[in-house]
DNA sequence: GGCCAGGACTATG
DNA sequence: CATAGTCATGGC
């Protein structure tokens, strides 16, 4: 079995990222143990199962099956894990800024070393955001799990299923009724099938969006039916990794700020913009840490 | 049982 | 441009 090690810039805590990932482990896209993550990672020509472990200074990727994978597959896996856990980032500037901040000083201490765990797959990021619109997070997890187990594929290893997110072309060919059967609204079913078609017909791609400015990426995303400002910022934050992505319409973010500042009412989007002005270049990370205080 | 939830669309002044 | 109504379901 082969192990690949990725060195990491501090501050980093593998355990903090594990604790975060536990929140969504019911969706079945990975399995979490005490000190490890196991996941099937789809690449162009293979779907290896890896076990990820780590410390404060490195992450190890272990290919657990007794199989040989090409260098290209290994390269894609390293890329995926690095993007997923945001391993190439350096949080020191963020912590320096947050240390003196009334809202962030407590969270960065409590969750020291937590990365903005992302969703590298653009289709998955968009679907997850749409699924989560205007419903409780726990119901959103339920919907995603049904979606994955109905339309995704699983790789089995040692009697355990490791699910992969549904392929875009599979969903592009779904009927609205197939999706509403999972108890999502008809409108969400339309949105998700529409998004799948945008990607399949190559009018939308992560590669293209990454060449755009943050403003331009938001405009492209919000031109898609079902993608408003919240969803666009969510995807910019967790998939495209624009540092100033800032979903100010998010109820969770509004509540986090409300509780931490002991406000009577939830802050409005414009109030959040004013408040977050001091987090320039780290608004995405500030949002992620504020969300983390809620659960 | 009522209110809210990690919103977006559409119609209306 | 700002506001209200609609979608529609589960969770608490």
């Amino acid at each position: 079995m082969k192990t690949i090690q990725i060195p990491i810039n501090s501050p980093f805590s593998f355990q903090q990222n594990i604790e975060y990932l536990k929140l969504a482990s019911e969706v079945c896209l990975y399995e979490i143990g005490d000190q490890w993550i196991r996941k099937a990672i789809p690449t162009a020509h293979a779907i290896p199962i890896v076990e990820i472990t780590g410390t404060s200074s490195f992450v190890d990727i272990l290919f657990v099956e007794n199989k040989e994978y090409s260098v290209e597959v290994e390269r894609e896996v390293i890329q995926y894990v690095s993007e997923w856990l945001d391993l190439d980032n350096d949080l020191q500037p963020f912590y320096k800024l947050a240390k003196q901040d009334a809202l962030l000083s407590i969270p960065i201490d409590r969750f020291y070393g937590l990365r903005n765990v992302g969703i590298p797959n653009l289709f998955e990021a968009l679907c997850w955001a749409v699924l989560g619109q205007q419903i409780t997070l726990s119901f959103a997890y339920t919907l995603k799990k049904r979606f994955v187990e109905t339309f995704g594929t699983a790789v089995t290893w040692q009697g355990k299923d490791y699910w992969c997110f549904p392929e875009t072309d599979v969903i592009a060919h779904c009927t609205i009724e197939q999706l509403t059967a999972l108890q999502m609204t008809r409108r969400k079913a339309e949105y998700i099938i529409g998004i799948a078609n945008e990607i399949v017909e190559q009018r939308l791609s992560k590669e293209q969006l990454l060449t755009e400015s943050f403003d331009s990426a938001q405009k492209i995303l919000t031109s898609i039916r079902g993608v408003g400002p919240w969803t666009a910022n969510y995807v910019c934050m967790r998939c495209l990794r624009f540092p100033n992505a800032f979903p100010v319409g998010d109820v969770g973010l509004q509540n986090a700020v409300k509780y931490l500042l002991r406000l009577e009412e939830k802050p409005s989007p414009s109030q959040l913009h004013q408040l977050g002005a001091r987090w320039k270049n780290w608004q995405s990370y500030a949002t992620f840490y504020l969300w983390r205080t809620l659960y």
Side-chain angles (χ1 to χ4, degrees):
Chain A
M1 292 191 291
K2 177 159 187 174
T3 303
I4 298 172
Q5 187 162 98
I6 306 175
I8 303 184
N9 291 323
S10 59
F12 179 72
S13 159
F14 186 72
Q15 198 58 35
Q16 281 293 348
N17 292 282
I18 290 249
E19 293 302 320
Y20 170 77
L21 284 166
K22 279 181 183 171
L23 299 173
S25 56
E26 68 181 76
V27 177
C28 297
L29 288 171
Y30 50 79
E31 183 187 5
I32 298 291
D34 275 351
Q35 310 275 342
W36 48 262
I37 309 163
R38 285 184 198 140
K39 178 173 176 58
I41 299 183
T43 67
H45 299 296
I47 310 179
I49 296 174
V50 299
E51 178 175 295
I52 307 167
T53 53
T55 66
S56 61
S57 56
F58 65 84
V59 159
D60 276 338
I61 303 174
L62 171 67
F63 291 75
V64 296
E65 303 152 294
N66 202 8
K67 289 186 191 173
E68 287 291 321
Y69 287 107
S70 67
V71 174
E72 176 57 22
V73 169
E74 290 178 8
R75 196 196 61 75
E76 285 188 62
V77 168
I78 293 168
Q79 172 69 21
Y80 186 94
V81 173
S82 297
E83 273 195 59
W84 188 26
L85 302 179
D86 199 27
L87 299 181
D88 294 335
N89 210 341
D90 181 357
L91 265 52
Q92 280 190 33
F94 174 57
Y95 281 1
K96 185 177 177 186
L97 175 154
K99 206 171 180 178
Q100 311 294 331
D101 192 278
L103 273 163
L104 299 178
S105 61
I106 306 272
I108 61 159
D109 189 42
R110 186 171 159 205
F111 305 113
Y112 184 87
L114 173 67
R115 299 288 166 126
N116 175 1
V117 177
I119 306 174
N121 178 318
L122 175 66
F123 182 54
E124 181 180 350
L126 279 162
C127 286
W128 175 229
V130 168
L131 285 176
Q133 289 169 1
Q134 187 59 20
I135 60 174
T136 59
L137 204 47
S138 60
F139 182 40
Y141 286 137
T142 301
L143 282 179
K144 186 174 181 181
K145 179 180 168 70
R146 287 178 191 157
F147 187 69
V148 167
E149 292 184 344
T150 305
F151 300 107
T153 54
V155 181
T156 305
W157 180 68
Q158 293 191 345
K160 172 107 187 140
D161 284 340
Y162 293 86
W163 287 90
C164 299
F165 196 78
E167 294 294 330
T168 312
D169 58 343
V170 171
I171 304 306
H173 293 99
C174 277
T175 63
I176 293 171
E177 286 70 25
Q178 280 179 282
L179 295 192
T180 54
L182 309 182
Q183 303 307 113
M184 73 176 77
T185 63
R186 184 175 189 85
R187 206 167 275 179
K188 282 185 185 180
E190 292 171 4
Y191 295 165
I192 286 173
I193 292 169
I195 288 166
N197 277 292
E198 289 293 311
I199 295 174
V200 166
E201 291 166 22
Q202 300 186 358
R203 291 190 293 272
L204 181 71
S205 76
K206 182 177 180 183
E207 293 67 33
Q208 170 59 29
L209 287 168
L210 286 174
T211 68
E212 305 286 344
S213 68
F214 177 38
D215 279 346
S216 173
Q218 283 184 82
K219 280 179 187 152
I220 292 169
L221 287 168
T222 52
S223 72
I224 300 165
R225 179 171 158 80
V227 180
W230 177 84
T231 302
N233 274 272
Y234 188 90
V235 170
C236 283
M237 174 178 163
R238 305 212 46 206
C239 182
L240 306 176
R241 295 198 173 284
F242 285 99
N244 286 321
F246 195 19
V248 290
D250 183 83
V251 172
L253 178 61
Q254 292 167 4
N255 278 326
V257 172
K258 177 186 166 187
Y259 298 143
L260 289 170
L261 295 181
R262 303 176 195 283
L263 304 176
E264 297 279 329
E265 304 286 339
K266 285 181 292 196
S268 69
S270 63
Q271 287 174 311
L272 281 178
H273 269 304
Q274 290 179 30
L275 203 66
R278 61 182 191 246
W279 304 327
K280 272 294 176 219
N281 296 325
W282 295 98
Q283 289 174 331
S284 172
Y285 255 90
T287 301
F288 196 76
Y289 270 71
L290 290 170
W291 273 341
R292 191 70 183 85
T293 65
L294 292 170
Y295 303 103

